[in-house]
Each structure stands twice: as C-alpha cells, then as structure tokens.
Amino acid sequence: MGVLALIITLAMFQPCLLANASSSTGGVHLGSQQAALLQWKSTLRSSSASLDSWRAGTSPCSSNWTGVVCGAVAHRGRRATPQAVVRIDLPNAGVDGRLGALNFSALPFLRYIDLSYNSLRGEIPRSIASLPELSHLDLTGNRLHGHVPREMGSMGSLTVLLLSLNNLTGTIPASIGNLTRLVQLTIHKTSLIGSIPEELSKLTSLEYLQLSGDLLSGRIPESLGNLTKLSLLRLYDNQLSGPIPSTLGNLVELQSLQLSRNQLVGRIPPSLGNLSALYEIWMYENELAGSVPAEIGALAGLQTLHLAENLISGPVPETLTGLTNLNMLQIFSNKLSGPLPLGFSNLSKLEVLDLANNSFSGDLPSGFCNQGNLIQFTVSLNMFTGPIPRDIETCRSLHILDVASNQLSGDVSGLGPYPHLFFANLERNSLHGRLSAESWASSINLTIFDVASNMVTGSLPPELSRLVKLEELLLHDNNMTGSIPPELSNLTNLYSLSLSQNQFSGNIPPEFGRMSSLQYLDIQLNSLSGPIPQELGSCTQLLFLRINGNRLTGHLPVTLGSLWKLQIVLDVSSNELTGELPPQLGNLVMLELLNLSHNNFSGSIPSSFSSMASLSTLDVTYNDLEGPLPTGRLFSNASSPVTWFLHNNGLCGNLTGLPACSSPPTIGYHHNSRRRRTRILVATTISVPLCMLTVLFGIIVIIRRSDKPHKQATTTTTAGRGDVFSVWNFDGRLAFEDIVRATENFSERYVVGSGGCGTVYRVQLQGGRLVAVKKLHETGEGCVVSDEERFTGEIDVLTRIRHRSIVKLYGFCSHPRYRFLVYDYVDRGSLRASLENVEIAGELGWERRVAIARDVAQALYYLHHESCLTQNLRLTFQTSAYQRS
C-alpha cells in the first residue's frame, strides 16, 4: 500500500513538476522574470497605457504583454527549450522612471532592449552588464545622466550600442574597446568630454561610428584607420582639434564622412581620394587650410561636398568637374579664388550650389540648371562679372537665387518666372533694365525680393501685389520712376519695404495704412510730394520709419503718435512740413532716434517729449521753433548737445550754448535765410564732458535718478590708454566697485557662461538690478584678433544697435587689470539650451517658436540692412534631408 500510495501521489503532482520545469530556465524561473517586470512597472511615475497588459496573474510569455517577447533558450544542455523573456521593445512608450529599478539579474536571457525616446531617469545601472546575451541596447532620447559604466565593456555579445540624446557626462570608457562584436556605436548629443579612446581601434567589426554633438576634444586617433569595415564615420559638432589623419584613407568601405563643426586644422588629406564608396563629405566650420585636393575628383559616387566656413584657398580644381553625381556643393566662406572651371556645366545633377563669400572672379559658367534639378544657386559676395547665365534666368526649379554683391551686368527683364522661388537677392550689382511684371508676379512663392543697389529703371509694377507671401521688398538705390502703387497694400505679410534713393514721385499711398504687418518702411530720398497720410498711424507694428529727403508738405499727422512700437528711427527731415509739432509724439516711449530737422515746423517743442525715455538722438535743427526747451533728462547738459537745437527762431533753455529763457534771443541761433536742402542725415556728435575720474580706476559714478531725481546722468570717457567707464540709458548706479564687490572679485561662483574670448558673470547690483558682465580674458585665448581690438569693436557695434530683439549694452570698463562689458541679463539662457531641455522645450509651442524665429529673422535683417554691421548674412538651403544625420 505504501508503494501504491507513493505512485498515486507522484501521478497527482506530475503536472506541477512539469510546469515547474518548463518555467525554470537555467535556475531562473519565469515567475521571477514576471515579478521583476511587475516590480519595475510599480516604480514608474505614471504607468503608460501601453503597459496595461502587464498584470499580476498573467504570464509575460503567454498573455501578450506589450513590448515583451519570449523565446526558447537552452536549458543546461537538454533538448527541451523552455520559454524566457528575451526582448523588451518599448520605444516611445511613455515610460517614466528609473532604469536602475529594473532587476536585470532576474532577466539573464535578454538579447534585445529598446527603451528609446522615453523618460528614463537616473544613471545607467552597472547591473546592466550582468546580461551576457544582450546584443542590442538602445537607450536613445531619455533623461539618463552620470557616466557610462566601464562595466559595460564586459558585455561581449553587444553588437549595437545606442546612447544618444541623454545627459551623460564624463568620458567614453576605454573598456568599450573590448566589445569586439560591436557593429554600431552611436553617442550623439550628450555632455561627454575627453578624447576619443585609442582602444576604439580594436572594434574591427564596427561599421557605424557616430560620436557627434558632444564635448569631445583632442585629436582624431590615427588608429581609427584600422576600422576597415566602417561605412559611416560621424564625429561632427565636437571640439576636436589637430589635423585630419591621412589614415582615414584606409577606410575603403566608408560611405559617409562627417567632421563638421570642430577645430580641425591643416590640409584635407589627398588620401581621401582612395575612398571610392564615399557619397558624402561634411567638413564645414573648421579651420582647414590649403587647397581642395585634386584627388577628391576621383570620387565618382560623391553626392555631397560641404567644405564651407574654413580657410581653404586657391582655385577650384578642374578634377571636380568629373563629380557628375554631385547634388550638393557648398564651399562658401573660404578664401577660394580665380575663375570657375568651364567644365562645371557637367555638374547637371546639382541641387544646391553655394559659393558665397570667396574671391571668385570671371564669368559664371552656364549649364547648372540644364536638367532642371537646381534648387539653390548662391554665388554672392564674390567678384563675378558678366551676365547671369541664361539657364539660371529661366531655371524654374529654383527655390533660392542669391547673386548679391558681385559685379554682374545685364538686363533683369529676362529673369523668371520662378514658380518655386522664395528667396531672390540680386542686390549690389550693375544690373539694368525693368522689372518684368508678369515674370515676377508669377513667382508666387516669393517671400524675399531684393534688387537694391543696381541700375534698374522703369516703374514699380503694381502686379507685384499678387505676391501675397512677400515679406521683404527691397528696391532701394536704383533709378526707378513713377508713383508708388497703392496696390502694394495688399501685401498683408510684408514687414519690410525699402524704396529709398530712387526717383519715385507722387503721394505716399494712404492705403499703406492697411499693411498691418509692416515693421520697416523706408522711402527716403525720392521726389514724393503731398501730405504724410494720417493712415500711416494704423501701421502699429512699425519699428522703423524714414520718409526724409522728399518734398512732403502739410502738418505732421497726430496719428504718428499711435505708432507705440516705433523704436529704431522716425525721420521726416529735409521736407517742407509746417505747423506745430504734435504733442502725441511723446507717446513714442520706445523711440531712440527722432529727426525733424530741415523743415518749417513752428511753435515750441512739446513738453511731452520729456516722456520719450528711450530717445538717444533728437535733431530739430533748421526749423522755426521757439520758446523754452522741455524739462527732463533729455534736455539737460548731460544728455543733449546744443547742436540738436541750432538754427531755429528763438529756442532757449538751461543748455550750454543756448540763450537762457530770461534773455533776449541771440541772433546767431536764428536759422539761415532759407534752409539748406541736404539729402543726407545730419550727423550729430554727442559731446561727452569729463566729469569725474578716480585716481586708481577712473570709474564714473552714475547717480540714481530714483534716489536723486534732480541730478543729471553723465557719460564719461578718458582718451588714450586710461581707464574708461561709460553708461547709456541706464537707470541705476553702475560703478566699478559695485561690480567687483557683487562678483567677489569675479569669483567662479557667478559664472554663467564662458567662450574663447571671455567669461560671463551674473551680477546683482546694490540697487537690485540684474546685469550680465562679460569679462574679457587677459590674453587672446584663441581669439582671432587681440583683446583690445575685439573689445573696442564690440563696443562700436553694440552702441549702434537699436533693436528690441538684440541684447542691450549698458556700459563698459577698460582698465589695465580688467576689461568688461555690461549687458542686460537674459535669465533663461540660450535658445539652444532651452530646446535641448525637454521640460522647457515643452513650454515652447509652435506659435511661440514661430514668433521666436520671426524675431530672430527681423533682428538679422536689422543688422544686415540697417546697421550694416555684417557682410555675411545669407540664406542657405540646409535641411535635414541634406544633412543625412
């Protein structure tokens, strides 16, 4: 009976024993794997809906758990193949929690992990190295921080390791060189520093190596030439230095070479001509010198060659004309010279050609658009001569046409139509003829149309009003005649209209009041007549208005006082305007330059002008104004030179050079018999009296207007090599001692940023105001020019800038021990940093991003067209489709 009972008992429990055997894999039960996954789920901040299928009482292998795949695994040499979790595949699944909370030791059979584009936090756990069979690990696009564990070097089965778009710090561990099965290694956009380990040269199975967008420094190891299976090598956007190793010419299977945005020097190795499989070379924004190697012309499969913004010199080698598969050639902003090879017409597959900002000369070859593929043709800022090639004149595939700042000639009437063109810049050439109404009106996608500074004649076609996408229309400095078409008011997206320095006649169209987006209107130096239309007061987005140098008559409309955003300039000088100045102009509290000179204005200067707190330059000379000056800062000796008020009919006030109001008018200040009609803006030089100079530093103390309202602010400079401290439009005490004290003698505690030429400090002054102080380094430290040149140059630029989207300069200090600039403080840092922070970027909706992009574009436009502070602001056609990264 005992034996029979035992047999019956064993028979009853046999299913349980079999179930236990089948659920156990190498000593790790499937139940343990289930428990590890459920435990991890419980730690997540907000359980994603995709993990709802992970429930207790169900099996990850038989219940279709989302993202979990089971597979057969060997069981201690037996034929039976129990199921185990071998794959976790949860990309972009909303997983939010710590990766380290997952018990990897309970999942020893994992072969594949993809947790990319989630919200994983914390460090990469060292325990992940306990997965001996893992071959694919993708943690891209999370919030992981800390170092890459050196223990990962023991994961000998890894073939794919992807760690991009995390907050990883430290260096790349040399132990990664032990992963000899690795085929793909990608670490893009992290904060890793240090050099590229030499040990990576042991990864002889590697086909894809991308270490880009990090902070890696040092040289590119020559030993990378041992990785002969590499098809893609991408090391762009780092701080790598030194020459490009010639050993890269050994990578005969290489298809993509991207080394852009580093600090590489020396010549481009001719050995790259050995890489017959190469289809793209990206080396822009380095310091490469020498000539373009003729050997590159042997790369018959090359489709992209981007060598822009380097120091490459000499002519373009004739051999490049053999690159008949090339669809992108960008070599702008180098020192290339000479004529282009005639064989360039062979490059008929080109989609993007950008040769701008070099010293090319001679005629432009024809044939670039023979096959109708060309999208961008940019040759600006060179010395090309002759006509625009005929195939370019009629190239219907063009999106960008930029031939500005050359010596091109020929008739513009043959250009177009361009149905896809959105950017056309023909300025600063010797082009003549009329603008074809039909051709340009048919270019319906135009957003920027610039034909300024040529010899264009004829009238302005009213048909241009069909270009409803147009944002900039720049036709200044030509010989155009006739009236300004009122139909232009239909261009509701237009924000910049410049028709100055032509021979336009007739009235300013009142319809312009309907241009609700207009921000820049420049129609100065024409022959316009009649009154200033009061409808202009409806253009409430205007920042810049110049109508000077015409024959305008009548009163200054009171509606101009409604232009509350007007900031850069209001210039109505050198006209025939009469009447009194409207007090409403005092509402323009953001305006920085007001020129009313050379008219017939009478009466007194309105007291409301005292409210124009931002005004830095005022010119009312050569009018019939009389009476006392208004009170306030603007009309004090400290702020106003007497030259702003001369040649009137009896202005008086407490200003050196003007008669006191209690005295009879001085004849010398009456205007001349009839005004001298000059067509240039009267240059006013601000007299800067020396008020106080300290013996040690020469620091000027600006008295707070809020504390002592009757004291006047002063601006002081010291000639020669002495100490200098100057402040413009700053309401507060800004003294040298205050800055040194606030930063504890420029302690690192207050550093918020550092560059090649200076360090930026966050400074809270005694009055509570926050400013940013950029302290220049004592030596060049990588600067191209000396500190003194850079310092004075930056002052010269910033003191001329008047734009709401450009950081404001408050003051500067020059001293044998210190040189620094004082700016307005921007507390959220750079836009790039904000976009790379997932939480902050989430606050920037598309409407705000579009607004930011427009503000940046308008600031660049102001720098290029109004301040003339840069010679190389261009549009390039570089999209992700061309970057291929």
Side-chain angles (χ1 to χ4, degrees):
M1 290 294 293
V3 173
L4 180 61
L6 178 61
I7 294 172
I8 294 172
T9 303
L10 289 174
M12 292 174 58
F13 284 96
Q14 185 180 18
C16 298
L17 294 173
L18 290 174
N20 188 51
S22 64
S23 65
S24 176
T25 54
V28 177
H29 294 274
L30 183 58
S32 301
Q33 299 172 49
Q34 174 200 45
L37 293 174
L38 290 176
Q39 170 61 26
W40 184 50
K41 176 186 175 182
S42 70
T43 66
L44 301 179
R45 294 194 176 190
S46 55
S47 182
S48 169
S50 60
L51 300 186
D52 289 347
S53 59
W54 293 22
R55 295 190 302 272
T58 63
S59 169
C61 293
S62 59
S63 301
N64 295 320
W65 282 23
T66 301
V68 176
V69 177
C70 292
V73 295
H75 180 51
R76 295 181 181 176
R78 299 181 184 177
R79 290 184 180 181
T81 54
Q83 294 285 302
V85 176
V86 297
R87 183 181 181 113
I88 297 177
D89 196 358
L90 290 169
N92 200 21
V95 178
D96 187 350
R98 299 178 67 84
L99 181 61
L102 179 57
N103 182 8
F104 289 106
S105 63
L107 300 163
F109 302 102
L110 276 175
R111 301 167 189 162
Y112 186 103
I113 297 177
D114 185 352
L115 293 170
S116 59
Y117 299 102
N118 285 289
S119 297
L120 296 176
R121 305 166 189 271
E123 298 184 353
I124 300 174
R126 296 179 180 182
S127 59
I128 202 168
S130 66
L131 302 176
E133 298 187 22
L134 192 68
S135 64
H136 184 108
L137 177 60
D138 188 353
L139 302 176
T140 303
N142 283 283
R143 301 181 185 180
L144 299 168
H145 64 264
H147 293 194
V148 177
R150 65 176 182 273
E151 289 81 1
M152 293 183 74
S154 64
M155 303 173 72
S157 298
L158 266 185
T159 59
V160 175
L161 178 58
L162 311 175
L163 302 177
S164 302
L165 301 172
N166 281 289
N167 300 319
L168 301 174
T169 55
T171 60
I172 299 174
S175 61
I176 296 294
N178 298 329
L179 305 178
T180 54
R181 294 186 184 180
L182 208 58
V183 173
Q184 180 176 355
L185 174 59
T186 301
I187 307 177
H188 171 66
K189 283 205 170 183
T190 70
S191 297
L192 292 177
I193 61 172
S195 59
I196 299 174
E198 289 277 354
E199 288 79 2
L200 296 189
S201 64
K202 297 187 294 184
L203 305 177
T204 53
S205 298
L206 207 59
E207 298 177 10
Y208 190 119
L209 176 58
Q210 179 167 357
L211 307 173
S212 57
D214 301 305
L215 301 173
L216 301 177
S217 57
R219 298 190 171 213
I220 299 174
E222 292 192 8
S223 57
L224 291 188
N226 298 333
L227 307 180
T228 55
K229 291 186 179 180
L230 270 184
S231 62
L232 294 104
L233 177 58
R234 295 177 175 172
L235 305 177
Y236 63 88
D237 229 351
N238 281 291
Q239 299 171 11
L240 300 172
S241 56
I244 298 173
S246 61
T247 55
L248 297 188
N250 300 333
L251 307 178
V252 292
E253 296 187 19
L254 199 65
Q255 298 177 30
S256 173
L257 177 60
Q258 296 192 18
L259 305 177
S260 302
R261 291 181 177 169
N262 281 289
Q263 300 164 21
L264 301 173
V265 298
R267 294 175 174 269
I268 299 172
S271 61
L272 297 185
N274 301 330
L275 308 180
S276 57
L278 209 57
Y279 71 82
E280 62 178 359
I281 298 176
W282 300 76
M283 295 182 179
Y284 65 88
E285 288 188 39
N286 280 289
E287 298 173 24
L288 300 172
S291 58
V292 178
E295 290 80 359
I296 287 181
L299 304 177
L302 199 64
Q303 298 176 25
T304 298
L305 180 59
H306 199 333
L307 307 177
E309 297 183 85
N310 279 287
L311 304 172
I312 302 169
S313 58
V316 172
E318 186 80 30
T319 56
L320 292 196
T321 62
L323 301 178
T324 55
N325 288 303
L326 206 62
N327 58 42
M328 176 186 285
L329 176 59
Q330 302 213 78
I331 50 178
F332 62 86
S333 297
N334 278 288
K335 297 183 176 182
L336 296 163
S337 59
L340 297 179
L342 292 177
F344 252 42
S345 58
N346 298 333
L347 307 181
S348 55
K349 291 185 179 180
L350 272 179
E351 297 178 9
V352 175
L353 175 65
D354 195 338
L355 311 177
N357 196 20
N358 282 288
S359 298
F360 290 122
S361 57
D363 290 358
L364 286 167
S366 60
F368 290 115
C369 196
N370 280 348
Q371 293 189 15
N373 297 315
L374 196 62
I375 294 175
Q376 175 181 343
F377 184 74
T378 301
V379 296
S380 54
L381 293 162
N382 280 289
M383 297 182 287
F384 287 117
T385 56
I388 297 173
R390 180 60 186 162
D391 63 303
I392 299 298
E393 287 185 340
T394 58
C395 185
R396 296 176 62 86
S397 60
L398 277 177
H399 292 206
I400 296 172
L401 173 61
D402 188 354
V403 298
S405 300
N406 281 285
Q407 301 166 25
L408 298 175
S409 56
D411 193 336
V412 297
S413 60
L415 294 174
Y418 301 109
H420 305 290
L421 195 70
F422 66 85
F423 181 91
N425 190 357
L426 314 175
E427 71 168 348
R428 297 179 189 271
N429 281 289
S430 299
L431 302 170
H432 62 270
R434 296 169 173 260
L435 296 179
S436 169
E438 280 307 311
S439 289
W440 288 110
S442 300
S443 304
I444 56 174
N445 286 296
L446 264 180
T447 58
I448 296 176
F449 187 32
D450 187 350
V451 197
S453 301
N454 280 285
M455 298 184 290
V456 177
T457 55
S459 60
L460 179 55
E463 290 84 354
L464 293 185
S465 61
R466 299 179 199 167
L467 304 177
V468 293
K469 295 182 180 180
L470 201 62
E471 297 180 357
E472 294 183 33
L473 178 58
L474 311 175
L475 303 175
H476 54 271
D477 195 14
N478 279 290
N479 298 314
M480 302 185 74
T481 55
S483 60
I484 299 175
E487 291 87 349
L488 293 183
S489 61
N490 295 330
L491 302 174
T492 54
N493 289 311
L494 197 70
Y495 72 79
S496 180
L497 176 61
S498 180
L499 306 176
S500 64
Q501 300 180 69
N502 279 284
Q503 300 172 32
F504 290 117
S505 56
N507 296 337
I508 300 174
E511 291 83 354
F512 276 14
R514 300 203 300 262
M515 302 174 77
S516 57
S517 299
L518 198 62
Q519 298 186 23
Y520 298 84
L521 177 58
D522 189 350
I523 50 178
Q524 65 174 315
L525 300 176
N526 280 287
S527 298
L528 300 171
S529 57
I532 300 172
Q534 63 179 1
E535 289 83 354
L536 281 185
S538 299
C539 299
T540 54
Q541 298 300 313
L542 273 177
L543 304 172
F544 179 106
L545 177 58
R546 269 195 168 142
I547 54 179
N548 53 290
N550 285 287
R551 300 172 185 170
L552 302 173
T553 57
H555 292 196
L556 197 60
V558 298
T559 56
L560 295 187
S562 302
L563 303 177
W564 62 276
K565 285 190 176 181
L566 206 59
Q567 177 181 357
I568 300 169
V569 63
L570 171 58
D571 192 343
V572 300
S573 65
S574 299
N575 281 290
E576 298 171 9
L577 300 171
T578 57
E580 296 187 351
L581 298 176
Q584 290 82 354
L585 291 182
N587 297 333
L588 307 180
V589 294
M590 297 176 66
L591 189 62
E592 298 181 352
L593 190 154
L594 176 60
N595 193 347
L596 307 171
S597 67
H598 291 81
N599 281 289
N600 299 313
F601 292 123
S602 57
S604 61
I605 299 176
S607 60
S608 61
F609 277 31
S610 297
S611 303
M612 303 173 75
S614 298
L615 203 62
S616 60
T617 301
L618 170 67
D619 191 347
V620 297
T621 58
Y622 291 96
N623 280 289
D624 292 317
L625 299 171
E626 58 187 2
L629 299 182
T631 59
R633 176 193 61 82
L634 185 65
F635 301 94
S636 67
N637 276 320
S639 299
S640 301
V642 69
T643 51
W644 290 2
F645 308 104
L646 297 178
H647 305 288
N648 276 285
N649 195 26
L651 285 175
C652 60
N654 187 24
L655 187 66
T656 303
L658 281 184
C661 291
S662 58
S663 305
T666 303
I667 296 177
Y669 294 104
H670 194 281
H671 60 83
N672 294 338
S673 57
R674 216 51 252 156
R675 32 227 94 259
R676 304 171 193 169
R677 293 293 180 187
T678 61
R679 290 197 167 230
I680 59 173
L681 178 67
V682 177
T684 60
T685 304
I686 300 178
S687 172
V688 190
L690 183 64
C691 298
M692 178 169 53
L693 180 67
T694 64
V695 176
L696 181 59
F697 297 114
I699 304 303
I700 302 305
V701 179
I702 307 300
I703 306 301
R704 287 192 183 88
R705 285 180 294 183
S706 58
D707 295 339
K708 300 181 180 181
H710 301 294
K711 298 274 185 171
Q712 302 299 334
T714 60
T715 300
T716 304
T717 62
T718 304
R721 296 184 58 83
D723 303 341
V724 182
F725 189 78
S726 180
V727 176
W728 302 270
N729 300 324
F730 181 54
D731 183 15
R733 184 183 183 89
L734 190 58
F736 176 82
E737 294 90 347
D738 196 2
I739 290 174
V740 173
R741 180 170 52 251
T743 60
E744 299 178 28
N745 199 21
F746 298 105
S747 167
E748 291 185 0
R749 292 174 52 197
Y750 301 93
V751 171
V752 293
S754 183
C757 297
T759 302
V760 181
Y761 298 81
R762 180 183 184 274
V763 181
Q764 184 165 11
L765 301 175
Q766 282 187 336
R769 180 183 291 273
L770 277 175
V771 295
V773 175
K774 177 181 178 181
K775 179 175 175 286
L776 273 68
H777 297 317
E778 295 181 6
T779 59
E781 295 196 17
C783 295
V784 176
V785 295
S786 70
D787 278 354
E788 188 65 34
E789 290 172 337
R790 181 171 292 272
F791 182 70
T792 57
E794 191 160 351
I795 291 171
D796 178 61
V797 167
L798 291 171
T799 54
R800 288 187 281 151
I801 287 177
R802 296 289 187 273
H803 195 277
R804 62 180 177 176
S805 297
I806 301 175
V807 66
K808 187 172 184 178
L809 175 70
Y810 285 142
F812 66 89
C813 173
S814 180
H815 181 269
R817 290 180 57 198
Y818 301 108
R819 288 188 188 91
F820 57 77
L821 299 156
V822 185
Y823 301 94
D824 193 12
Y825 181 73
V826 182
D827 60 354
R828 298 196 74 170
S830 70
L831 177 61
R832 176 176 179 177
S834 296
L835 291 176
E836 290 179 347
N837 185 303
V838 177
E839 294 180 357
I840 297 177
E843 301 173 10
L844 292 176
W846 283 112
E847 289 186 6
R848 294 184 67 185
R849 295 188 187 207
V850 170
I852 291 170
R854 183 175 292 274
D855 285 346
V856 171
Q858 291 167 3
L860 290 174
Y861 171 84
Y862 166 74
L863 290 173
H864 186 44
H865 292 286
E866 310 306 336
S867 297
C868 300
L869 301 181
T870 178
Q871 297 179 354
N872 187 26
L873 285 175
R874 308 170 302 99
L875 180 66
T876 58
F877 196 78
Q878 298 178 32
T879 65
S880 58
Y882 288 98
Q883 179 66 26
R884 292 192 180 94
S885 61

